[in-house]
Amino acid sequence: MNGKTPKAQGFRQSQAGLHTWTGLLVGWILYLIFLSGAVSYWREEITRWTQPEIGATHDVETVARGAIAHLQTVAPKAASWSIALPDERASGATATFREKARPAPRRGVDPNAVTIGPDGKVVQPRDTEGGDVFYRLHFDLRYVPVIWGRWVAGFCAMFMLVAIVSGVITHKKIFADFFTFRPGKGQRSWLDGHNALAVLALPFHAMITYTGLVTLMVLYVPWGVAANYPSKTAYYAQSITRAKPVKPTGEAAALADIGAVLKTAERAWEGGHAGLIRIDAPNDVAARITLTRRASDTLVDGRWEIVFEGVTGQIRSQVAPSSSGMIARGGMIGLHAGRFAPMTLRWLFFLSGLAGTAMVATGLVLWIAKRRQKLADPSRPHFGFRLVERLNIGAIAGLPAAMAVFLWANRLLPTGMAGRGDWEVHVMFIAWSGLLLHGFARPPRRGWIEQLALTAVLLAGLPAFNLVATQRGIVSSLMAGDMSMAVMDLVLLGLGAAFAAMAFGVARHRPAVPKVRTPRPAPTAPNAAQPMAARQPEEVEA
Amino acid sequence: MTLLAFLFCMGGFAALSLAMPRHHAALVGGPLASRRRLGLKLAGWSGLALGLAASLAAWGLAWGVIGWLGLLTTAAAPVLLAHTWWPRAKP
Amino acid sequence: MAFGISDVNATGVGLQRKTDWRGVFDLIARIVLAAPGGYAVMAACTMLLARVLPGEALDRTLWATMLSFAIYACLVVWTFAARSALRAGAVMLAIGLAAGLLARWAA
């Protein structure tokens, strides 16, 4: 056919089949992982948007002082204090404390934690998980034990890695077709789109998949640890060095000025900033202040800490990732989470993530488009085809709609409601379930149009609601110079418009009536019916 | 320097894409002589290499390679879009 | 699809294709070899690397674990590219045994 040896042809073919099936089997979950991951690049912005009561941070030192003042009032004799500081994109600090002999609070349930606003005073924002919802969804999923969620994500990531490798091998004309995109040609267009999205951002896709696996690598592949350590505990003892606990002497002494300590750290880190303040044995002579560096400061994820004498503010010790393994691994985790990324790069990562999301979506639609052509009787497709076709609608168009519903719940649920944070998420999943069912209830084309249109309305409606019903509408945000809120409102509007365009696109697209394929008679008996049966339908319903 | 790197990469992709007979016919018109094809390919790969050099100059070794890979993606996109919506009718 | 099973079964029109049982067996064999089998072979290779790579124990462990996913991906691709499931199984077994024994010896 093209001069290749049969062996090479077979190799490519084997990879083609592998690529299609690994892609389909995890496609819907991968779509969720990609979309929630892409959106998580804006985790802090989304959290800010969901808690408009807290304004933008202007001066971290003010916030730090306010936090310490609060803790001095409520827990001057606590065993330790902990203050999570915001960066330029986040707002509000979390201040908490631990009494002696009490176990550390479980994640998400800390009765001692308060939020400190940009002016240093305690604020009571509405109970919400904010951007963390999508961040956790990305690798923990929801409503299942965290470990299960991580295994599912890892499984899908491994499938994705194999899909990338087999996709590159199979796409022998990877560069010849690189610049080819023919819109409006049915299955051919979906294939072109899928290829273009995959190949254009190939470095990103390969990087994000591999680094994602590395982020949870000790869970997925504990064999490196097993080879050299008698137990995981022994491994963690070496890889995560814990500070020795501080014993308070009982002799009171004033804490050093936190502003001075922060400035000393900044100098020691050559312009870096603190992200976490931990004070052990506050107001005691033996007090110790540990500053952990902001995650957004460096590419390499890991422990960057400076330990200070609590009373004098002098540096006692400093740690940073030092071994080649820790740096390489930290760098990979850093690349994946993208916390280091300045705005421009963050937007590029986000767009690449959306490209990956669209790549998975086009792959799922392509699966249907290709098989629709092969159906012997297009009006009565087999069960597998029908299942995938209907699931696609709710899984692909339904998820963004459900995410918008989450944001609506954030605005509409009463602030005093118990369990409000959990209910915002429950509402999102209830909406998604409803949309999945809707995909089965309506004719496919109607289902797509309706869900895309709904998503458009839900997304564009949010900034409109903000403008009309809250004090943080786009106009007030712009006047206050709060670019984060303003841009988020604009992006929601833009995304709404994009989904409206997609809904119109599907509505306007008139598919050619697919012809019923009659079995071909033998070539030696030419038949008047043959030309009709031999023609393939040009356009397929999206 | 970033802009320069981006332009080099974009030019490189434009040249490489025009070195393919199908795209050449669609955008420039007419058959693709082998001499011109060779020239375009050379120009194309040079463009990408210069883009790498500019990235390394702008960002150093590790960041330069990462940045170059990112630029490849951003620079290929406009070329792809041009090919999709700009072809002249064949003569 | 290169695996020899019909991927489209029409309903209501009466078209049937004969199921290629050999192909089905080949496919299932490859899946078993690739997914759990590949994981096991990769685990052995990772343990070997974690012991023979240069450097401190922590570094060796980290580097070997970081590389493991690339090894796994290659093993999966190989399993489906091999001329037959039998061949794939034999090669995987050989690699797995060799890596496992060497890892034991290097402990």
Side-chain angles (χ1 to χ4, degrees):
Chain A
M1 185 157 54
N2 53 6
K4 288 255 178 286
T5 64
K7 185 177 179 198
Q9 183 74 345
F11 179 52
R12 290 218 157 90
Q13 271 238 290
S14 73
Q15 298 307 302
L18 182 61
H19 180 82
T20 305
W21 287 100
T22 53
L24 177 71
L25 289 175
V26 298
W28 295 302
I29 306 182
L30 259 185
Y31 177 76
L32 166 67
I33 293 178
F34 256 105
L35 186 53
S36 57
V39 155
S40 292
Y41 280 122
W42 306 112
R43 182 183 174 193
E44 285 83 354
E45 280 79 2
I46 296 175
T47 301
R48 278 213 61 213
W49 192 95
T50 57
Q51 292 181 320
E53 303 86 32
I54 313 177
T57 306
H58 294 294
D59 178 35
V60 175
E61 199 180 303
T62 314
V63 178
R65 285 186 198 284
I68 292 194
H70 164 80
L71 287 166
Q72 289 284 24
T73 324
V74 304
K77 293 274 176 255
S80 70
W81 294 345
S82 188
I83 305 168
L85 294 171
D87 61 13
E88 298 92 16
R89 297 170 51 230
S91 65
T94 313
T96 187
F97 61 90
R98 261 213 297 149
E99 298 285 7
K100 248 186 318 211
R102 284 273 180 86
R106 290 182 170 281
R107 185 174 86 199
V109 181
D110 184 356
N112 300 331
V114 298
T115 310
I116 309 284
D119 55 358
K121 303 216 182 21
V122 177
V123 297
Q124 301 267 23
R126 67 190 72 190
D127 174 29
T128 178
E129 290 184 39
D132 281 12
V133 168
F134 305 126
Y135 173 67
R136 297 265 163 222
L137 195 58
H138 177 66
F139 58 97
D140 281 347
L141 301 186
R142 193 121 189 157
Y143 303 123
V144 293
V146 155
I147 286 289
W148 293 17
R150 293 179 185 193
W151 270 109
V152 168
F155 188 76
C156 294
M158 198 60 221
F159 264 59
M160 172 87 188
L161 188 62
V162 170
I164 290 177
V165 174
S166 59
V168 169
I169 294 172
T170 223
H171 201 45
K172 58 188 173 195
K173 295 190 292 172
I174 195 170
F175 291 114
D177 280 351
F178 191 32
F179 299 105
T180 304
F181 176 54
R182 292 158 289 192
K185 284 202 164 65
Q187 184 220 316
R188 191 71 242 198
S189 301
W190 288 109
L191 181 60
D192 285 348
H194 181 68
N195 291 342
L197 291 162
V199 177
L200 265 184
L202 189 59
F204 175 81
H205 299 320
M207 180 276 287
I208 210 77
T209 309
Y210 207 92
T211 54
L213 286 164
V214 168
T215 303
L216 290 170
M217 69 181 194
V218 177
L219 171 67
Y220 302 137
V221 182
W223 312 104
V225 171
N228 292 332
Y229 297 89
S231 70
K232 268 203 181 165
T233 320
Y235 162 72
Y236 285 129
Q238 204 180 39
S239 62
I240 305 176
T241 43
R242 294 202 187 287
K244 285 189 278 291
V246 176
K247 278 199 179 44
T249 59
E251 194 185 325
L255 275 175
D257 174 47
I258 195 67
V261 170
L262 287 171
K263 283 199 181 51
T264 313
E266 208 171 309
R267 271 197 307 271
W269 280 326
E270 290 164 3
H273 307 93
L276 186 68
I277 304 175
R278 183 195 157 96
I279 304 182
D280 293 294
N283 299 318
D284 189 283
V285 150
R288 193 175 64 201
I289 302 178
T290 309
L291 294 186
T292 308
R293 197 169 181 178
R294 237 188 236 174
S296 54
D297 260 4
T298 56
L299 170 64
V300 176
D301 179 271
R303 271 176 83 228
W304 302 73
E305 280 180 4
I306 306 181
V307 183
F308 295 81
E309 290 287 351
V311 177
T312 61
Q314 303 279 11
I315 296 182
R316 267 178 61 145
S317 62
Q318 214 171 338
V319 295
S322 52
S323 74
S324 75
M326 296 294 270
I327 293 179
R329 185 185 175 198
M332 286 203 171
I333 297 178
L335 266 178
H336 189 86
R339 295 196 177 102
F340 70 97
M343 265 302 153
T344 321
L345 187 57
R346 188 170 291 273
W347 269 102
L348 285 175
F349 276 151
F350 176 60
L351 289 171
S352 302
L354 285 184
T357 313
M359 165 188 70
V360 176
T362 50
L364 289 167
V365 173
L366 179 63
W367 198 94
I368 287 293
K370 248 186 151 169
R371 268 152 197 79
R372 189 189 310 276
Q373 280 198 320
K374 290 193 206 152
L375 289 175
D377 180 4
S379 59
R380 311 237 336 249
H382 62 287
F383 176 71
F385 179 94
R386 282 203 316 264
L387 182 69
V388 175
E389 186 183 33
R390 300 315 188 96
L391 267 178
N392 271 0
I393 307 174
I396 298 176
L399 180 56
M403 289 164 87
V405 167
F406 164 77
L407 294 174
W408 275 106
N410 171 265
R411 284 293 186 260
L412 296 178
L413 287 180
T415 27
M417 177 182 166
R420 191 186 181 283
D422 287 329
W423 270 103
E424 282 179 353
V425 186
H426 294 330
V427 169
M428 172 167 82
F429 278 94
I430 292 171
W432 199 15
S433 313
L435 289 169
L436 280 165
L437 289 173
H438 173 268
F440 279 94
R442 302 285 286 151
R445 193 156 160 272
R446 292 262 110 225
W448 277 107
I449 297 172
E450 284 163 14
Q451 291 204 16
L452 290 169
L454 177 68
T455 310
V457 166
L458 286 172
L459 285 169
L462 284 163
F465 181 85
N466 272 349
L467 192 61
V468 163
T470 73
Q471 279 149 341
R472 297 281 181 168
I474 190 160
V475 173
S476 7
S477 298
L478 284 171
M479 291 208 317
D482 190 347
M483 289 315 292
S484 167
M485 291 282 278
V487 171
M488 172 118 175
D489 271 352
L490 282 171
V491 168
L492 287 171
L493 196 62
L495 287 172
F499 275 95
M502 282 192 259
F504 271 120
V506 177
R508 222 182 24 191
H509 170 91
R510 291 252 148 262
V513 176
K515 297 187 171 40
V516 176
R517 285 176 78 192
T518 58
R520 287 182 193 216
T524 52
N527 193 321
Q530 230 183 17
M532 192 67 164
R535 249 192 313 169
Q536 297 281 346
E538 263 303 315
E539 305 219 45
V540 284
E541 189 175 309
Chain B
M1 186 58 80
T2 316
L3 186 61
L4 199 60
F6 174 78
L7 290 172
F8 274 135
C9 289
M10 192 162 79
F13 275 129
L16 281 175
S17 65
L18 287 173
M20 298 173 198
R22 176 169 43 165
H23 294 303
H24 186 270
L27 226 58
V28 176
L32 181 60
S34 63
R35 196 109 163 269
R36 183 188 276 196
R37 183 171 191 188
L38 198 61
L40 281 170
K41 279 195 172 180
L42 195 62
W45 288 110
S46 310
L48 297 186
L50 284 170
L52 175 60
S55 293
L56 293 173
W59 297 311
L61 181 55
W63 282 112
V65 174
I66 294 178
W68 180 63
L69 290 172
L71 279 175
L72 286 180
T73 299
T74 31
V79 177
L80 170 66
L81 292 173
H83 276 290
T84 306
W85 278 296
W86 207 3
R88 280 173 17 186
K90 286 192 203 176
Chain C
M1 275 274 300
F3 296 127
I5 36 171
S6 50
D7 57 343
V8 173
N9 248 330
T11 52
V13 182
L15 274 184
Q16 294 282 2
R17 294 197 212 170
K18 235 168 46 142
T19 314
D20 177 4
W21 289 111
R22 201 114 158 270
V24 171
F25 176 76
D26 185 81
L27 176 62
I28 295 181
R30 288 191 202 241
I31 293 174
V32 170
L33 282 171
Y39 186 84
V41 175
M42 173 267 279
C45 295
T46 307
M47 290 191 79
L48 175 62
L49 277 177
R51 288 184 173 153
V52 305
L53 281 176
E56 300 274 326
L58 183 62
D59 277 340
R60 282 186 272 128
T61 298
L62 289 169
W63 278 107
T65 314
M66 279 189 273
L67 290 168
S68 64
F69 303 106
I71 297 174
Y72 193 14
C74 289
L75 287 170
V76 173
V77 164
W78 155 253
T79 312
F80 284 93
R83 269 208 291 271
S84 71
L86 196 63
R87 211 176 137 87
V91 171
M92 298 268 275
L93 190 63
I95 300 177
L97 281 176
L101 288 170
L102 281 170
R104 254 284 173 68
W105 173 75

